[in-house]
Amino acid sequence: MSTRTAIQPGSSETVAVPRSGGLSLPFDPVLLLATLGLITCSLITVADATVDDIPGNPHYFVTRQAIYFAVGAAAAALLWRLDYSRLRELKYATYGFLIASIVAVMALGSVARGSRRAIDLPFFSFQASELGKVLLVVSLAAFMVDASRRLADRRTTSRILLLGLVPAALVMLQPDLGSALVFIAITLTILFVAGAPWQHFAALGALACVAVTLGLVVLPAAGVSILHGYQKDRLTAFLHPSKTADKAGYQQNQSRIAIGSGEKTGRGDHATQTKYNFLPEHHTDFVFAVVGERWGFAGAALVLSLYALLIWRCLRILTLSKNLYGALVAGGIVAMLLFQVFVNVGMTIGIMPITGIPLPLMSYGGSSIIATMLAIGLLQSIYAQGRAAAAGKGRVLTF
Amino acid sequence: MIEPAGSPGRAGTPTTPQLALRVAILGGIAFALFAIVFLRLWFLEVLSGDQYRQQALDNRVRMVAVPAPRGSIVDRNGTPIVENRPATVIQLDPRRLPAGERDAAATWGQQMSKRALLPKGHRGEPIPIPAPATPELKLRFARLAAALGVAPARVQENVIQQLAVLPYANVRVKVDVPATVRNYLLERQRDFPGIAVERVYLRRYPLGSTAAQLLGTVGQISPTQLGTQAFRGVHQGAIVGQGGLEHTYDRYLRGTDGVQTITVDASGRAKSSRLARQPRSGDQLRTSLDLGLQKTGQTAMANVIGSGTGTAGAFVAMDPRNGRVLAMGSFPTFDPNVLARPITQAKYNAIFGPKAGAPDFNRAIAGAYPTGSTFKPITAIAALQKGIITPDTPVDDPGVFVAGTQKFYNAGKVPNGVVSLRRAIQISSDVFFYRLGSEANPLGPVIQTWARKLGLDHPTGIDIPGEAGGTIPDRAWRARQNAKEIAYEHKHHTQCPPNCLYSDKRPWSVGDNIQLAVGQGDVQASPLQMATAYAALENGGTVVRPHLGLAVEDDTGSPLQQIDTPPARKVTMNQGDRQAILDGLHMATMADGTSADVFQGWNQSAYPVFGKTGTAQRPPRPDQSWYVAFVPNKTRPIVIATTVEDGGWGAQAAAPITCLMLKNWYGQKAACSPGKSKTK
């Protein structure tokens, strides 16, 4: 592996750290491997699931997905070559752009399935909340670093929490419950990694319990509803999917049938749940069920292993970061990926409610793909900078 | 952990013990979440995968029945009365219709089912059939309609109605099209896209109206029939027997429909299909009918009624030994072929309405009439068995019988002088039987008991539905009728109109019993019941259970199962008494007997005829003509009951028909001219 980045022939000692101005930069090969593996899985699965979706154009979705990956990869490469730490200085800009883009979507966006989540651009529809996840990680980590000396102060925790909750509340209004939950997960994880006191988390936990009780039990009883009816149905349908097979539980039921019917090695071309459209959203939210039906436990386990690899590398990079900012960004990305993977996969196998969260790097969709690729690029940048700092105690910037 | 070789370790990273702990916790959480997902996946895919595999299969497969040809119905000699005829059905493949049309059908179906949930009377107008989805489709339907000779709106109606129910199945546009039309359509696939041809089996009646009322029709199983014991295992939409033999023997005739499995997608569109089970054709039913006798009876009755004697009628010919029905007819009649295809309500009403004389009403079993003098042998056996008279008790017949203030006359008030039982039956003396009725009345329901023993007052149990029970009036019956009338008045606060026919609220009187003794008044019986009663007299007391079904056979005619119909019961009677009545019945067809002139020239020594005329008064209508007769014979005994509504004297209309049937049955030559006897 080291040979790839070696710049001095014959010097087996040399770490893959380029000097300033060089073209090579260290990168995490395992992270790259996991990413490429997931991209491959995504392309194969999306191609397979959507063959019959658009008559006469069997490659419509997979072509687009490949373009999204290409664009995402280019953006990731760009980020990798930049020192991520500079983003810290842009915290107001990134945070401002995050809020502005969500508000813009709410004002200008197109309505799809009852919620306003995206702005239609000529080539694809821009889903602000997807990019917002990365923007939130970058900006919130910066705010956190600024406050890292006053960690014990309750106000610090509240301020960071508030900064995370504002975009969460905004996407909730779209309504996009899933993204709101991702935002909250990111916020909490950044606080956690930064070292916020345990008491604060205990207090937050208690507060959350009260809020959930109020939101789901007391207020509806009093006639005020926080969640839409369909959202509540979705959140509770997974508890008894067969009973509600015609309504909210339909998708989940079909998804479980699809995955279960895959058995050990999958149904291959006889995957009727996907082929005959019983499985809804089979290239987006339920793409994991397609994997489960077509390639069985073997395929699903492979995809999950790739995610496990990804998460492990994130955590590893977190510890390798040259500064707190990098660690916090890596922590936020861990939260973003882990939460989305667990909730999405959990939804397809019937242990989590349907919340409309895509499976990062697998689900079809430009916004999600590009945002996740940006996150991967950031990780590589943290890795590169961390390695460089370890080797040369200096900042590395290749541009 | 993979790291580039020669890594200088972790120097430079700001890892503190606190951060390490928190990262470890994050890692632990991640590990736990992945463990949960893996375990759940293992459970779903490996442990219960087969169960979900089955659910996935059920999801996509729909079953469609492939109709099995029904079994034929044949006469005793194997001549088909009902058989199958393959017919071409022109269908439309829904996949070749525009999506808009399918959506319109689905919407229409949803609206209709919503409407069906409303209470009756609040549903408003039916949802109108939407117009064809595209102008192109409209043209297509118009072309198809013109080729098939149906209205274009009818094509659209068929498409919408059927797609609303079964979105993936082909739509039947027209049943039974000629081969030329079929070929025309198939040769022009370009003009008629999505045309599919299916073969179905329709019923065919090669003998036209022969035995029309006995056969019944076939039709889709009704919601009330679905799930009953008789139709166990029959699926919705199946064609089953409705009425007649088709109904009774449906489970043999219907066969087993095949199954076609159609693979569908989530919106119910067919992707592929496969014949999963071959249809098995139904078995053949052999009946006891003798087509020669049947046709003779029907022709004779049609001729008699056609000549202006009577308006309607029925006959039953039966083997008195075992109740096998040899012939059974009802006039007016119809050609069941008209029912083998779809028929409009207007056309149906024109053919089967009351104005047409209700030709599908089987008067032989469902017509309950006063029997007139054909009842007299029953009165006779009751009186003899009870000891009211002996066969030789002389009774003076001055032409009138006085009971209290009421006077009962012979027909034409003719005095017959002193008569005993045999002579009384021969010349049908009313006064003789009036006296028996009068004398039996204080002894309780003597005549009634014997009438019931011999098979009257309740259905005989013949193997086709729709039988009338008839009426044998007695004291208890009259009390019940009075109670009904009083209940009616209580409920409606008005007098029961004359046509409610309950009673006139008078108590049972001797007059009722006197009327009963000669088969008048409230007595009602069907020709089949009279034939059963006379068969018991002929065979010495066995009350048979009449039946038409003889055996179930496969389609080549080899028997699979005999239909066993044991007699309903045995009645013991004094053989001397019975012989006296038989003597009287035989005398009635000879010398100056009531039907002697009808059987003039008949070979009485070879085929002695035992017959009784009946002329029932049904004011305000003309009299009803009856004749019940039997011929004892070692190999071919027969009992025939014939009645002609508004046919006048028994010897005039009913007896000649019976004579002609006997003539056919025994291959005799006789004139069978209408008799001139003016007796009841």
Side-chain angles (χ1 to χ4, degrees):
Chain A
M1 289 227 168
S2 60
T3 53
R4 235 194 272 179
T5 48
I7 48 161
Q8 283 181 324
S11 165
S12 59
E13 281 263 82
T14 315
V15 184
V17 179
R19 298 286 169 261
S20 216
L23 281 174
S24 294
L25 197 64
F27 64 94
D28 186 345
V30 183
L31 181 63
L32 183 67
L33 188 77
T35 311
L36 288 177
L38 285 168
I39 290 172
T40 313
C41 289
S42 173
L43 290 174
I44 293 174
T45 309
V46 168
D48 188 74
T50 58
V51 156
D52 299 324
D53 279 10
I54 295 184
N57 197 352
H59 307 306
Y60 178 88
F61 286 107
V62 71
T63 323
R64 272 151 194 265
Q65 182 82 334
I67 294 171
Y68 298 149
F69 274 124
V71 172
L78 193 71
L79 273 183
W80 163 55
R81 301 188 80 84
L82 285 170
D83 183 357
Y84 65 91
S85 303
R86 289 192 124 190
L87 292 169
R88 202 186 135 194
E89 297 147 28
L90 300 171
K91 61 189 180 221
Y92 292 109
T94 45
Y95 192 78
F97 183 70
L98 160 66
I99 301 294
S101 66
I102 294 172
V103 172
V105 163
M106 291 171 74
L108 308 169
S110 59
V111 177
R113 295 193 194 88
S115 72
R116 202 180 281 275
R117 293 182 185 181
I119 296 177
D120 282 326
L121 297 179
F123 299 107
F124 85 119
S125 67
F126 170 69
Q127 221 169 325
S129 53
E130 292 300 330
L131 184 62
K133 290 166 189 168
V134 182
L135 292 178
L136 183 70
V137 169
V138 170
S139 54
L140 206 59
F143 289 120
M144 191 74 236
V145 172
D146 292 349
S148 60
R149 288 174 197 285
R150 304 180 300 277
L151 276 175
D153 192 340
R154 253 180 300 152
R155 276 177 300 180
T156 306
T157 304
S158 334
R159 219 178 119 239
I160 296 299
L161 212 53
L162 189 70
L163 284 170
L165 282 177
V166 167
L170 284 174
V171 291
M172 184 92 169
L173 289 174
Q174 286 183 353
D176 183 355
L177 180 62
S179 296
L181 292 173
V182 177
F183 285 180
I184 291 171
I186 290 170
T187 310
L188 289 174
T189 310
I190 287 179
L191 272 172
F192 181 77
V193 175
W198 293 105
Q199 302 95 296
H200 291 185
F201 285 101
L204 280 177
L207 208 64
C209 286
V210 173
V212 168
T213 318
L214 269 177
L216 291 181
V217 184
V218 180
L219 285 179
V224 185
S225 58
I226 306 287
L227 291 173
H228 289 268
Y230 81 94
Q231 286 177 323
K232 216 158 74 186
D233 282 350
R234 282 174 172 187
L235 286 177
T236 52
F238 80 102
L239 298 172
H240 37 75
S242 315
K243 272 190 204 161
T244 50
D246 290 332
K247 289 176 268 164
Y250 173 83
Q251 297 188 332
Q252 204 140 35
N253 211 26
Q254 295 297 348
S255 171
R256 279 194 318 156
I257 292 173
I259 293 183
S261 68
E263 300 190 30
K264 288 188 192 93
T265 53
R267 305 176 69 191
D269 286 335
H270 305 290
T272 50
Q273 287 288 100
T274 308
K275 199 156 94 186
Y276 294 154
N277 267 325
F278 290 103
L279 187 65
E281 307 287 326
H282 48 232
H283 58 302
T284 56
D285 289 359
F286 285 92
V287 73
F288 188 75
V290 176
V291 176
E293 186 186 23
R294 201 179 157 103
W295 291 285
F297 183 75
L302 173 73
V303 170
L304 277 182
S305 304
L306 288 171
Y307 279 117
L309 205 59
L310 193 67
I311 299 293
W312 167 57
R313 280 325 284 184
C314 289
L315 289 170
R316 176 78 189 119
I317 288 169
L318 196 165
T319 62
L320 288 175
S321 169
K322 68 174 179 185
N323 53 21
L324 179 63
Y325 182 61
L328 291 182
V329 169
I333 292 172
V334 168
M336 169 183 135
L337 294 177
L338 181 62
F339 187 83
Q340 295 192 84
V341 169
F342 180 72
V343 173
N344 179 284
V345 173
M347 161 182 95
T348 62
I349 58 182
I351 56 173
M352 289 300 271
I354 297 180
T355 40
I357 290 178
L359 188 57
L361 294 180
M362 283 292 290
S363 289
Y364 171 84
S367 302
S368 165
I369 293 293
I370 292 169
T372 315
M373 290 302 285
L374 287 176
I376 302 285
L378 278 173
L379 287 171
Q380 291 288 22
S381 174
I382 296 167
Y383 179 90
Q385 298 301 329
R387 279 287 174 225
K393 303 273 180 197
R395 172 179 283 201
V396 184
L397 190 64
T398 51
F399 288 110
Chain B
M1 188 175 286
I2 305 162
E3 288 182 38
S7 162
R10 301 179 175 206
T13 55
T15 310
T16 60
Q18 194 208 19
L19 180 62
L21 172 70
R22 297 213 166 187
V23 170
I25 291 174
L26 266 187
I29 291 173
F31 181 80
L33 294 182
F34 274 102
I36 291 172
V37 169
F38 262 102
L39 284 176
R40 173 70 179 171
L41 262 182
W42 178 263
F43 170 77
L44 275 182
E45 304 212 73
V46 179
L47 298 184
S48 40
D50 46 353
Q51 172 199 334
Y52 287 109
R53 178 74 60 96
Q54 189 54 47
Q55 284 188 33
L57 293 180
D58 294 347
N59 236 346
R60 64 176 174 87
V61 174
R62 302 281 182 279
M63 310 280 188
V64 171
V66 181
R70 263 179 101 77
S72 311
I73 300 177
V74 301
D75 84 336
R76 59 187 344 200
N77 302 313
T79 313
I81 308 171
V82 186
E83 55 188 12
N84 285 311
R85 168 172 74 84
T88 306
V89 177
I90 298 296
Q91 301 179 321
L92 267 179
D93 184 342
R95 283 173 291 184
R96 302 292 293 276
L97 292 172
E101 181 78 354
R102 291 190 301 248
D103 294 345
T107 313
W108 182 84
Q110 283 160 7
Q111 288 170 337
M112 282 301 276
S113 38
K114 224 180 253 173
R115 181 175 171 271
L117 292 178
L118 299 173
K120 263 190 183 157
H122 295 83
R123 291 180 186 169
E125 292 293 305
I127 314 294
I129 300 280
T134 61
E136 189 275 325
L137 186 67
K138 194 172 177 178
L139 280 176
R140 215 171 112 189
F141 283 173
R143 273 201 307 275
L144 183 59
L148 293 174
V150 296
R154 182 81 198 130
V155 175
Q156 167 72 359
E157 196 182 322
N158 273 328
V159 168
I160 294 290
Q161 285 176 345
Q162 295 178 38
L163 282 187
V165 181
L166 291 177
Y168 46 84
N170 282 357
V171 173
R172 284 188 170 194
V173 183
K174 192 178 183 195
V175 176
D176 199 15
V177 296
T180 49
V181 173
R182 183 194 63 195
N183 296 341
Y184 177 85
L185 292 177
L186 290 182
E187 283 161 14
R188 289 164 183 77
Q189 288 276 6
R190 191 190 294 248
D191 295 334
F192 302 101
I195 286 290
V197 171
E198 193 203 19
R199 225 162 76 122
V200 294
Y201 295 95
L202 298 181
R203 283 312 221 184
R204 191 163 83 97
Y205 306 88
L207 306 175
S209 67
T210 303
Q213 292 89 354
L214 317 183
L215 306 171
T217 55
V218 294
Q220 238 180 43
I221 188 165
S222 71
T224 45
Q225 288 169 331
L226 207 60
T228 56
Q229 186 65 26
F231 293 104
R232 217 170 49 178
V234 178
H235 59 86
Q236 193 178 3
I239 301 295
V240 297
Q242 306 282 11
L245 290 168
E246 297 270 23
H247 175 83
T248 307
Y249 295 103
D250 183 67
R251 85 195 128 112
Y252 305 109
L253 291 168
R254 71 174 164 242
T256 314
D257 284 354
V259 174
Q260 189 170 30
T261 55
I262 299 180
T263 309
V264 299
D265 67 5
S267 19
R269 276 178 219 135
K271 293 285 181 185
S272 66
S273 70
R274 185 174 69 87
L275 193 62
R277 193 177 73 200
Q278 288 283 346
R280 194 186 66 78
S281 59
D283 298 326
Q284 170 173 297
L285 175 70
R286 186 177 289 256
T287 64
S288 53
L289 288 175
D290 182 282
L291 283 180
L293 188 66
Q294 178 76 29
K295 283 181 192 161
T296 307
Q298 285 192 213
T299 313
M301 182 155 282
N303 287 342
V304 163
I305 295 173
S307 72
T309 317
T311 54
F315 63 85
V316 177
M318 196 165 73
D319 187 330
R321 294 171 299 185
N322 46 33
R324 288 178 184 172
V325 175
L326 303 170
M328 179 185 279
S330 178
F331 189 93
T333 185
F334 64 100
D335 183 351
N337 283 307
V338 302
L339 292 175
R341 300 182 195 193
I343 181 172
T344 63
Q345 190 64 40
K347 201 172 165 197
Y348 183 90
N349 290 344
I351 300 176
F352 296 101
K355 271 190 190 159
D360 53 346
F361 181 66
N362 186 359
R363 290 168 166 80
I365 63 166
Y369 307 107
T371 64
S373 299
T374 55
F375 192 82
K376 283 173 182 169
I378 298 168
T379 307
I381 190 76
L384 288 168
Q385 291 293 115
K386 192 73 183 172
I388 297 170
I389 50 163
T390 69
D392 302 310
T393 306
V395 170
D396 183 38
D397 174 3
V400 63
F401 178 77
V402 182
T405 56
Q406 283 181 291
K407 285 183 176 168
F408 299 88
Y409 294 98
N410 273 345
K413 303 186 182 175
V414 180
N416 290 317
V418 176
V419 292
S420 65
L421 179 70
R422 291 180 177 86
R423 178 73 181 153
I425 292 176
Q426 182 186 22
I427 58 172
S428 202
S429 158
D430 287 334
V431 169
F432 182 89
F433 287 94
Y434 289 150
R435 179 175 291 271
L436 296 187
S438 164
E439 287 178 15
N441 192 44
L443 304 176
V446 176
I447 303 170
Q448 289 88 340
T449 305
W450 268 93
R452 285 171 194 145
K453 274 189 187 176
L454 292 175
L456 275 60
D457 205 22
H458 50 80
T460 62
I462 189 170
D463 52 356
I464 48 178
E467 204 184 344
T471 309
I472 298 297
D474 60 10
R475 199 176 290 275
W477 176 84
R478 181 150 283 287
R480 279 200 303 278
Q481 292 300 104
N482 289 347
K484 275 186 205 165
E485 173 134 352
I486 290 164
Y488 180 95
E489 287 176 8
H490 269 281
K491 194 174 166 199
H492 298 274
H493 302 291
T494 124
Q495 265 201 326
C496 199
N499 65 0
C500 81
L501 293 178
Y502 287 142
S503 79
D504 38 15
K505 284 193 278 184
R506 65 182 171 76
W508 178 260
S509 74
V510 69
D512 288 310
N513 220 42
I514 290 170
Q515 292 276 29
L516 167 69
V518 296
Q520 284 296 156
D522 296 313
V523 180
Q524 287 199 320
S526 67
L528 181 67
Q529 286 176 317
M530 292 312 288
T532 309
Y534 272 61
L537 284 176
E538 193 275 341
N539 64 31
T542 303
V543 181
V544 296
R545 194 184 294 277
H547 57 277
L548 287 151
L550 267 194
V552 177
E553 304 169 340
D554 67 13
D555 48 7
T556 62
S558 0
L560 299 171
Q561 187 184 338
Q562 295 295 323
I563 296 167
D564 189 29
T565 314
R569 64 191 158 274
K570 293 218 165 152
V571 177
T572 47
M573 55 179 85
N574 181 300
Q575 291 309 308
D577 294 346
R578 174 178 155 261
Q579 194 53 54
I581 295 168
L582 260 53
D583 290 347
L585 288 172
H586 190 33
M587 284 156 63
T589 67
M590 297 188 295
D592 62 344
T594 51
S595 54
D597 44 1
V598 178
F599 287 94
Q600 218 154 30
W602 181 264
N603 185 355
Q604 290 281 8
S605 55
Y607 305 106
V609 181
F610 298 70
K612 183 74 201 81
T613 51
T615 308
Q617 287 153 354
R618 300 173 73 194
R621 297 177 61 165
D623 290 351
Q624 176 146 349
S625 172
W626 274 89
Y627 196 71
V628 187
F630 54 79
V631 176
N633 187 287
K634 214 163 231 162
T635 54
R636 287 163 73 82
I638 192 169
V639 55
I640 302 178
T642 310
T643 190
V644 178
E645 289 179 32
D646 314 320
W649 303 104
Q652 186 187 354
I657 297 170
T658 311
C659 175
L660 285 167
M661 291 174 74
L662 288 174
K663 188 177 136 181
N664 169 278
W665 187 242
Y666 293 112
Q668 292 294 298
K669 290 186 183 127
C672 294
S673 48
K676 294 178 182 59
S677 166
K678 303 260 190 297
T679 52
K680 293 177 192 168

